[in-house]
């Protein structure tokens, strides 16, 4: 009896006087019987639950086992069922949700599942880049206590563990996605953290079976150095880990010399694992980086006038009194602009452009300010003169085109490959219109002046845009290089496209190619007679030709000659290929690979901004493995349509709120608020 008692929970005792059955060889195999004790009462076999007083008839010949099974699965005294029920609410609760666009309230009902609340918390921690200790802060605890008091707040250790679990779960999903995709293009870049650890980010770009462009960070890991061989080996190891080393199509990198060595290493790898065009077009140079080099040459020529405007902005922004004086002059000058003066980051030309473009709107106001001036100041520290403003005005027009161009080719959720040649041509046109572009055009010609200096996939990408095709390629090259040379280059591009198409045709089964031979009508009498042997041989030759290049290549010709319908004109390239891919069996495979090529490394570089926020001075103790888990999972969880929230507040909006509150127009707070600005 002591041995039988040991099978019960501590708070349960055997019933006195019951005739329990113990050590009997039983035929019961079901798992739930281990939660019962069997005993005999009035000559009949019964089962007693180990966790509650309930008993059931248990004679196998007379009674079924349904009640026994159901109770075993629902008994709340059983620890197994307690764990299953954990996080479940029985009562349905009403909720009200306000739509962002219409502002209408929607009423609904749902059962609150605390496990879902826990998952949502982990999602918030990762996506919003919050520290693990955020859950232990008093403000967050108070919010949860009010919003969902039944939720048990997790510790920072449990949060870290759940983040890693989510990382591994999402990683397996991505691994399965890679198995179904055709080829993958990658971007890579390196970065040094606040811990003085060198990191490499590797981002995969591919088009899935639904013709959706995907961007996934697959690695954010420490590397031994920034040398090319180390980068190449790190990329190769990552691709092998994911099982996609045989699917690598292109690598987009900047112009650092170390990347030449890395790409040479990867070219040797793809020739072993299998590649397109023998890996000759593996390397794609980041257009944004080349734009950066060209623009900086233009900015250096205007260093003095830029410094003068920058110092004028600093002079105003560094004093509350001067800011008020500046605002007063803006109102008197009747300048209706919601823009506010902003500092720039001198090492980032795009922020310099925004600073100059904004300051130019208030050009008349600066003449009314007493800006510092004197013989002891350097030339670039003096107030901007009229000729300086004229130079800035021309410079802003110059930078605006490159600023917008950079934004267009830096996207990662829409096709940029088919825009490459057109954007390069527009840049060429801008340089022709820039009066001081002689030196800048030399740098342009260094990278894009010769067709052989560009990755030929960029030309084919424009050809594979159904809105462009060959005619736009030819016109673009003629505008850049003149009619004679442009026509020759266009013919070279067309020849390369045909050779690439032939390589794809040989790579994929001929059974997928339409039976071209059936389209040839051979109305020849099959009867025997004079010439019948010749007819038979002719048919055999025709049969052997089916699916060979002479016939299959007509698919590319047909694509180039087909015209778009009115509805197709409104479709983007991916949508068009998704709907028309079955008409071009081989060509759509080319399009799937080439249209996924990214033109810039911004996708990888932007991860370093996240890395800088994740590894700030307050969280510098995170391990490299945890850093990779957080950054990769954040990238995988973020939906395409959800933009990253800018944490910087709009100064103009804040000022309007302050004025509204100060006037007492806000119903939420009283007007006993004192602003420092009002006392100046």
């Amino acid at each position: 009896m002591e041995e039988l008692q040991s099978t019960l929970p501590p708070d349960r005792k055997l019933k006195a006087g019951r005739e329990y059955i113990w050590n009997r060889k039983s035929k019961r195999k079901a798992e739930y019987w281990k939660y019962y004790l069997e005993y005999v009462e009035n000559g009949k076999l019964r089962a007693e639950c180990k966790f509650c007083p309930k008993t059931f008839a248990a004679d196998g010949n007379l009674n079924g086992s349904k009640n026994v099974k159901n109770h075993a699965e629902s008994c709340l005294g059983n620890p197994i069922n307690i764990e299953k029920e954990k996080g479940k609410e029985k009562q349905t609760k009403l909720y009200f949700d306000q739509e962002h666009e219409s502002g209408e309230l929607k009423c609904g009902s749902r059962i609150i599942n605390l496990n879902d609340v826990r998952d949502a918390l982990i999602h918030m921690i990762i996506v919003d880049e919050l520290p693990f200790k955020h859950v232990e802060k008093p403000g967050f605890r108070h919010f949860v206590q009010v919003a969902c008091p039944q939720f048990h707040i997790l510790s920072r250790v449990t949060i870290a563990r759940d983040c890693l679990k989510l990382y591994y779960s999402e990683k397996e999903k991505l691994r399965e996605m890679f198995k179904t995709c055709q080829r993958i293009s990658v971007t890579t870049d390196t970065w040094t953290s606040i811990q003085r650890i060198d990191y490499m980010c590797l981002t995969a770009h591919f088009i899935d079976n639904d013709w959706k462009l995907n961007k996934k960070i697959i690695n954010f890991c420490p590397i031994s150095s920034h040398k090319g061989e180390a980068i190449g080996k790190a990329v190769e190891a990552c691709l092998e880990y994911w099982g996609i080393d045989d699917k690598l199509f292109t690598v987009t990198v900047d112009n650092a010399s170390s990347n030449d060595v890395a790409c040479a290493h990867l070219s040797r790898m793809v020739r072993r694992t299998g590649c397109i065009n023998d890996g000759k077009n593996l390397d794609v140079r980041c257009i944004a980086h080349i734009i950066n080099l060209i623009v900086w040459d233009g900015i250096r020529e205007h260093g003095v006038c830029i410094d003068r405007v920058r110092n004028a902005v600093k002079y105003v922004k560094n004093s509350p009194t001067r800011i008020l004086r500046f605002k007063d002059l803006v109102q008197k000058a009747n300048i209706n602009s919601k823009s506010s003066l902003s500092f720039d980051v001198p090492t980032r030309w795009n922020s310099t452009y925004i600073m100059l473009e904004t300051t130019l709107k208030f050009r008349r106001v600066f003449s009314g300010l007493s800006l510092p001036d004197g013989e002891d100041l350097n030339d670039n520290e003096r107030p901007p003169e009229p000729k300086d403003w004229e130079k800035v005005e021309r410079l802003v027009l110059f930078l605006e085109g490159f600023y917008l161009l950079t934004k267009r080719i830096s996207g990662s959720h829409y096709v940029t490959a088919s825009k490459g040649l057109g954007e390069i041509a527009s840049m060429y046109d801008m340089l022709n219109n820039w009066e001081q572009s002689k030196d800048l055009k030399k740098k342009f010609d260094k990278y894009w002046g010769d067709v052989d200096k560009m990755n030929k996939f960029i030309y084919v990408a424009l050809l594979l845009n159904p809105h462009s095709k060959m005619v736009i390629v030819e016109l673009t090259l003629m505008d850049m290089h003149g009619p004679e040379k442009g026509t020759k280059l266009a013919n070279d591009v067309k020849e390369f496209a045909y050779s690439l198409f032939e390589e794809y045709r040989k790579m994929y089964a001929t059974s997928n190619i339409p039976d071209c031979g059936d389209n040839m009508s051979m109305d020849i009498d099959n009867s025997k007679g004079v010439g019948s042997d010749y007819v038979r041989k002719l048919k055999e030759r025709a049969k052997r030709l089916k699916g060979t290049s002479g016939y299959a290549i007509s698919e590319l010709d047909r694509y180039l000659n087909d015209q778009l319908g009115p509805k197709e004109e409104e479709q983007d390239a991916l949508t068009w290929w998704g709907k028309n891919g079955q008409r071009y069996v081989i060509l759509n495979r080319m399009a799937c690979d080439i249209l996924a090529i990214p033109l810039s490394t911004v996708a990888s570089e932007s991860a370093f901004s996240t890395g800088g926020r994740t590894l700030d001075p307050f969280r510098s103790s995170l391990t490299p493995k945890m850093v990779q888990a957080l950054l990769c999972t954040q990238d995988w969880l973020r939906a395409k349509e959800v933009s990253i929230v800018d944490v910087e507040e709009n100064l103009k909006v804040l000022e309007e709120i302050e004025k509204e509150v100060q006037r007492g127009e806000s119903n939420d707070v009283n007007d006993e608020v004192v602003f420092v600005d009002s006392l100046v």
Side-chain angles (χ1 to χ4, degrees), residues 331 652 654-664:
Q331 290 181 350
K652 190 69 176 179
L654 292 179
E655 290 175 352
E656 292 296 330
I657 293 174
E658 291 175 357
K659 290 179 181 178
E660 180 182 333
V661 175
Q662 197 170 15
R663 289 195 303 264

Side-chain angles (χ1 to χ4, degrees), residues 239-253:
L239 296 175
E240 289 177 349
Y241 173 79
W242 284 95
I244 55 176
D245 52 314
D246 59 341
K247 294 186 176 185
L248 181 62
F249 189 61
T250 62
V251 182
T252 303
V253 292

